[in-house]
């Protein structure tokens, strides 16, 4: 059974803290994604990575950075957390090609106080 | 820009078929229609996808109109566990990285006992 796991389901941090969200997939997929989900806005793409050490900005990269040192692991970093980054964060992976689908992790609900 | 439009919410009686519509009037010839669902507090789950032929799997059926401007996801015998937000997505076949899985607000389906 394919799996995408995220390091925490719930996280509470304070304004200004550095926050790391970790995502691991066991499907040997090249492509990994970070989205945030807010009520009424659907999922918005923050960053994606198509190979180790490669990354591309999505639609809302401001305030975030990412790291992909190993194929199976994709990290989202909030350098200095702010209250407007309180959200649900979803990680996904994808093998590529026109016929396949993205697989999602369970999500991390981050609250920044 | 949203490529799909869906009703914000629908109800369905348990045991009956749930028919979820999606309009994608600007779809191009090389764009696939994907359906995902998201049960509360979980990551989105793939359901089905198609290009122009109707598709069926163990979860659902996908009916795409001949002009491909709209589609309907059918859950043949809805159960309470099918209560979720359903997302209709169009994705270009040449999107090899998967960065064009664009999730809009979706349809909130409530299956009623």
């Amino acid at each position: 059974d394919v799996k995408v796991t995220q390091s925490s389901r719930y996280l509470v941090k304070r304004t200004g803290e550095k926050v790391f969200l970790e995502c691991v997939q066991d499907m040997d997929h090249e492509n990994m994604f970070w989205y945030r989900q807010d009520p009424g806005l659907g999922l918005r793409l923050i960053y994606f990575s198509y190979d180790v050490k490669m990354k591309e900005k999505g639609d809302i990269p401001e305030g975030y950075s990412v790291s992909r040192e190993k194929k199976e692991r994709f990290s989202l970093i909030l350098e200095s957390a702010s209250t407007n980054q309180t959200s649900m964060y979803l990680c996904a992976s994808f093998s590529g090609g026109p016929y396949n689908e993205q697989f999602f992790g369970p999500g991390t609900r981050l609250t920044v106080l | 820009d949203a490529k799909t439009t869906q009703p914000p919410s629908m109800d369905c009686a348990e045991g009956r078929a749930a028919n979820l519509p999606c309009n994608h009037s600007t779809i191009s010839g090389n764009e696939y229609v994907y359906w995902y669902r998201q049960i509360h507090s979980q990551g989105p789950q793939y359901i089905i996808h198609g290009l122009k032929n109707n598709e069926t799997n163990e979860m659902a059926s996908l009916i795409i109109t001949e002009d491909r401007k709209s589609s309907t996801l059918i859950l043949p015998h809805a159960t309470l566990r099918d209560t979720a937000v359903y997302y209709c997505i169009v994705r270009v076949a040449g999107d090899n990285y998967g960065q064009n899985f664009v999730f809009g607000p979706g349809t909130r389906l409530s299956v009623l006992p």
Side-chain angles (χ1 to χ4, degrees), chain A residues 26-77:
Chain A
D26 65 359
M27 295 165 279
D28 201 35
H29 286 171
E30 289 80 16
N31 310 294
M32 297 185 73
F33 308 81
W34 276 106
Y35 297 87
R36 67 176 281 176
Q37 183 174 29
D38 301 289
L41 296 178
L43 277 69
R44 293 181 289 167
L45 181 62
I46 304 171
Y47 269 97
F48 71 97
S49 168
Y50 54 90
D51 202 350
V52 174
K53 298 190 185 294
M54 306 304 289
K55 61 186 179 185
E56 291 284 344
K57 293 179 180 179
D59 300 318
I60 51 162
E62 296 78 20
Y64 303 94
S65 62
V66 290
S67 172
R68 185 128 181 244
E69 297 297 318
K70 293 185 177 182
K71 191 176 186 180
E72 67 271 17
R73 189 178 298 269
F74 191 34
S75 301
L76 180 69
I77 303 155

Side-chain angles (χ1 to χ4, degrees), chain B residues 43-106:
Chain B
Q45 175 193 24
Y46 166 81
I47 301 173
I48 199 167
H49 74 282
L51 183 62
K52 53 185 175 182
N53 297 321
N54 297 338
E55 302 287 344
T56 295
N57 63 21
E58 64 279 3
M59 289 182 70
S61 295
L62 173 61
I63 308 298
I64 303 174
T65 57
E66 195 168 338
D67 64 6
R68 302 208 326 121
K69 292 186 177 182
S70 65
S71 61
T72 300
L73 179 76
I74 301 172
L75 308 178
H77 305 287
T79 71
L80 299 179
R81 285 180 291 185
D82 291 321
T83 291
V85 177
Y86 287 77
Y87 300 97
C88 170
I89 299 158
V90 294
R91 175 188 164 235
V92 64
D95 160 34
N96 280 327
Y97 298 149
Q99 74 272 27
N100 289 323
F101 281 98
V102 178
F103 289 74

